[in-house]
Amino acid sequence: MRRLGLLSLLALGCFPALAMADVAIPLLTVEPAANGGSNYSVSLQILMLMTLLSILPAALITMTSFTRVLVVLAILRQALGTAQTPSNQILLGLALFLSLFIMSPVLEDAYQNGLKPYMEETIGFDEALEKAKKPFREFMLNQTREADLVMFAELGGYDGFIDDNDIPMKVLLPSFLTSELKTAFQIGFLIFIPFLVIDLVVASVLMSMGMMMLSPMLISLPFKIMLFVLIDGWSLIVGTLAASFVT
């Protein structure tokens, strides 16, 4: 009797599943649009949106000013010789919000021309994606060196591009990142020089006084911090980084 009861429960549990199996739910559908594009179902749009959200950290690093800002701040901390002060979390937070400030015109343009019309259902998904991508392409092209573009175009087997719009993202993204790293190290070199001079002066004084066992970094650190505070270093560095993206 117990076995019969279990079989009955299993049968009752299977009937709804069987009934639901006969109902076709169009989760992923693509329909041709009037303008020659495609209209995606809501489920497919949500899937694309979740995919975009998953690659958002990579997009933040590769398509914005975040890389340059973070590298310069890391070199600044190394030049000061303050070890883990400011901490990594503080540097990341400063780089993130400074990047939002620098990228605000680009984000506003992408929202007004791409995301907002799409949310109001006045344009399709493909058109919204293209319009939202356009200001980011312009930003990256303005910050990318021509030599880097030529190098990656040759590596990708491209003979050349007639227009900037012909440059594919797979060529533009590595070119932009390479240019950002080069610019960040150039700025970092200029930041490092005055602190290096202080280290050399302190080391020379200690050597002349016969204090060879005393670490020069221990003596030079207060002087470097004092110099950085006197010249209002944080405002100078942050302002210079923001101004370096103005074209």
Side-chain angles (χ1 to χ4, degrees), residues 171-227:
V171 173
L172 180 56
L173 283 174
S175 303
F176 171 72
L177 279 176
T178 304
S179 296
E180 285 295 282
L181 288 173
K182 188 181 298 184
T183 304
F185 275 87
Q186 288 175 349
I187 298 174
F189 170 77
L190 296 176
I191 293 173
F192 219 107
I193 292 300
F195 299 110
L196 181 61
V197 171
I198 294 177
D199 287 334
L200 291 175
V201 170
V202 171
S204 300
V205 172
L206 291 178
M207 287 288 293
S208 63
M209 296 175 64
M211 298 181 180
M212 292 176 293
M213 300 302 294
L214 184 61
S215 174
M217 293 293 296
L218 185 63
I219 305 300
S220 63
L221 179 59
F223 292 99
K224 290 191 287 187
I225 294 177
M226 181 181 65
L227 173 65

Side-chain angles (χ1 to χ4, degrees), residues 68-70 72-73 98 102 187 191 236-246:
R68 184 190 302 186
V69 174
L70 185 60
V72 170
L73 292 178
L98 183 57
I102 295 170
I187 298 174
I191 293 173
L236 185 62
I237 294 297
V238 170
T240 302
L241 282 172
S244 67
F245 289 95
V246 177

Side-chain angles (χ1 to χ4, degrees), residues 50-62 64:
M50 296 302 294
T51 304
L52 290 176
L53 289 177
S54 65
I55 63 174
L56 185 60
L60 173 66
I61 296 174
T62 57
T64 66

Side-chain angles (χ1 to χ4, degrees), residues 14 65 67 91 102 175 205:
C14 289
S65 59
T67 299
L91 289 184
I102 295 170
S175 303
V205 172

Side-chain angles (χ1 to χ4, degrees), residues 87-99:
S87 64
N88 292 331
Q89 291 83 355
I90 295 176
L91 289 184
L92 286 171
L94 178 59
L96 176 61
F97 286 108
L98 183 57
S99 298

